[in-house]
Amino acid sequence: MKTDNRQHIFFVIGAAIFLLAIYNGMRFSVPLDVINPYEYFHGSERTNYQIMNMFIGGAVVPLIAIAAGYLLMTFRTHRPADVILTLVVMLFFILISTVFFFGFDVLPGIIIMSIIAALFLRLDWKIILASFGFLFALHLLFNGLIILWSGFGSPGDIIYSSIQQVNRFSSVFGGSDYFAIIGLNIEVFMTYQLGSWFMWTLTILPWIFLGMVLHHFDIGRLIQDNTGMMIAVAAALITGGIMIKIIEILSLGSFAATTFAVYFGGPLLGAGYFMALLLAGLYLPGKVRALFAAAGEKGLTLYIVFNFVMVVLFYGPGFGLFGEVSIMTTVLIVLAVYAALLVLGVILKRYEIKTLEQLSVVNIKK
């Protein structure tokens, strides 16, 4: 059953990489983190952004975090020290990717929080569940207070674009000075990612714990035995998340509404996606499952390759598409790159080509 669980979660991770790729791709193409999209985009481009953001905004990180927690528990029989060392090795490679390729990367935070969660591997599941409940309560309290403090509709509640930062990002990422890109990547990571370490404990760690709890209850078996009920649960989570995300669209740049959508609607949506992918992993044809499972098993390598390809396509030293293509064009590019990565994953696995995963202490094939 352990091997089945691991292949099942590899399928989920392989499919989830596509949503993470779209999340990254939109930041490779436009400076999303320093603009109010409802002020920056107009016409059909705004509509396309709203559609994409409604389905992935705030949902990608919880989805990956839940999957990480679930995968983490499949290594429970290994020594925690070995698992932690494996995660440290992964963090090393991801940080290299962050510095040289993509400063907005969310994976360093997920891996760091996974290292903390690995300390709980041998503890009773009730302690893990209580930890999830405690952090989730803090999440509700802290982020709820932020929303109440900002107040819907108040004059200071609207997010405004930072034109200076937009121009700076455009000139650096669109320019030919690669060393300037590295410098900005480091600055972005320190400011937008590492600077949010406190929020990681409230917006990442709880979902890793949730994934660990779901593995304890063998959610894959529960889905198989109660398919109809689990479909209803997944549909309810996804529908609820989208309904909350619609509030952000209607607010047109409200800080409170955006916070509410990202920190409350996003996790609902991410949990719904996780359940839906578990369902898909049980009932899709075997060859399709194997295709995505291979991508999940080689996920670290393929993810870094994806970021490298996107740097070549979008940044100045390469083809310089940063700020030059529409959102839907970016999505199509991501889809094409992801499809190529799926093929690459199958080739790497079939011919047993050594990848970054084999450098870890814990062999994923065990």
Side-chain angles (χ1 to χ4, degrees):
M1 191 62 190
K2 290 182 185 299
T3 300
D4 292 339
N5 275 341
R6 197 166 295 172
Q7 290 304 310
H8 200 180
I9 194 60
F10 280 147
F11 167 84
V12 173
I13 292 173
I17 287 175
F18 176 62
L19 294 179
L20 182 58
I22 294 179
Y23 178 91
N24 287 3
M26 292 178 67
R27 283 158 177 77
F28 270 113
S29 62
V30 291
L32 274 181
D33 293 85
V34 294
I35 63 173
N36 171 8
Y38 299 98
E39 172 190 39
Y40 187 83
F41 296 120
H42 299 279
S44 61
E45 192 70 352
R46 176 188 286 187
T47 301
N48 292 334
Y49 168 78
Q50 290 173 329
I51 293 172
M52 297 308 305
N53 185 57
M54 183 170 61
F55 287 103
I56 67 171
V60 172
V61 171
L63 169 60
I64 300 297
I66 294 172
Y70 194 99
L71 178 61
L72 196 60
M73 283 295 282
T74 67
F75 296 103
R76 192 176 187 183
T77 57
H78 294 77
R79 291 195 312 155
D82 288 345
V83 176
I84 291 173
L85 187 53
T86 297
L87 290 169
V88 170
V89 172
M90 293 177 62
L91 179 62
F92 172 75
F93 288 118
I94 286 297
L95 287 177
I96 290 177
S97 173
T98 300
V99 170
F100 288 95
F101 303 148
F102 186 57
F104 294 97
D105 204 337
V106 298
L107 277 194
I110 294 176
I111 295 176
I112 290 172
M113 291 297 103
S114 296
I115 292 173
I116 295 175
L119 299 174
F120 291 72
L121 272 178
R122 295 291 181 86
L123 299 182
D124 188 88
W125 70 271
K126 295 178 183 177
I127 297 177
I128 300 175
L129 178 60
S131 300
F132 162 72
F134 175 71
L135 291 176
F136 184 66
L138 287 181
H139 160 66
L140 294 176
L141 177 64
F142 182 80
N143 290 311
L145 286 176
I146 289 179
I147 295 171
L148 292 175
W149 181 264
S150 58
F152 284 99
S154 62
D157 183 40
I158 302 299
I159 301 172
Y160 293 98
S161 301
S162 175
I163 300 302
Q164 293 83 358
Q165 284 289 74
V166 170
N167 292 336
R168 183 180 175 219
F169 280 21
S170 299
S171 62
V172 172
F173 289 135
S176 59
D177 187 349
Y178 184 63
F179 290 102
I181 292 175
I182 293 175
L184 188 53
N185 278 338
I186 295 174
E187 179 185 333
V188 162
F189 174 71
M190 297 296 290
T191 302
Y192 295 91
Q193 300 298 329
L194 197 58
S196 303
W197 65 268
F198 173 73
M199 290 300 296
W200 287 350
T201 62
L202 300 182
T203 58
I204 296 177
L205 189 55
W207 312 121
I208 295 177
F209 283 145
L210 178 59
M212 296 170 73
V213 171
L214 291 176
H215 179 275
H216 170 80
F217 285 105
D218 199 355
I219 189 66
R221 175 65 64 183
L222 289 175
I223 288 176
Q224 199 167 17
D225 295 340
N226 305 276
T227 302
M229 183 180 71
M230 291 303 176
I231 290 175
V233 170
L237 289 171
I238 292 174
T239 302
I242 290 176
M243 293 300 292
I244 294 176
K245 294 290 295 180
I246 289 175
I247 297 174
E248 177 186 6
I249 294 175
L250 298 177
S251 72
L252 299 179
S254 163
F255 175 79
T258 300
T259 302
F260 185 57
V262 170
Y263 293 137
F264 293 91
L268 279 179
L269 199 53
Y273 287 159
F274 182 77
M275 296 291 291
L277 289 174
L278 283 179
L279 281 160
L282 286 174
Y283 296 106
L284 283 175
K287 291 184 178 180
V288 176
R289 295 200 306 269
L291 179 65
F292 288 96
E297 188 172 326
K298 302 293 184 179
L300 176 65
T301 299
L302 296 183
Y303 177 75
I304 292 177
V305 170
F306 170 81
N307 284 340
F308 169 74
V309 172
M310 295 298 281
V311 165
V312 172
L313 291 175
F314 283 90
Y315 288 173
F319 291 91
L321 297 180
F322 186 87
E324 300 295 329
V325 296
S326 67
I327 286 178
M328 294 312 297
T329 299
T330 300
V331 172
L332 291 175
I333 291 173
V334 169
L335 181 60
V337 175
Y338 177 74
L341 291 180
L342 287 179
V343 175
L344 177 60
V346 172
I347 293 173
L348 292 175
K349 183 174 181 179
R350 176 175 298 177
Y351 295 100
E352 298 184 348
I353 299 174
K354 299 296 183 181
T355 57
L356 296 178
E357 288 75 13
Q358 275 67 51
L359 297 177
S360 62
V361 175
V362 178
N363 188 334
I364 62 175
K365 292 184 178 180
K366 291 182 180 179

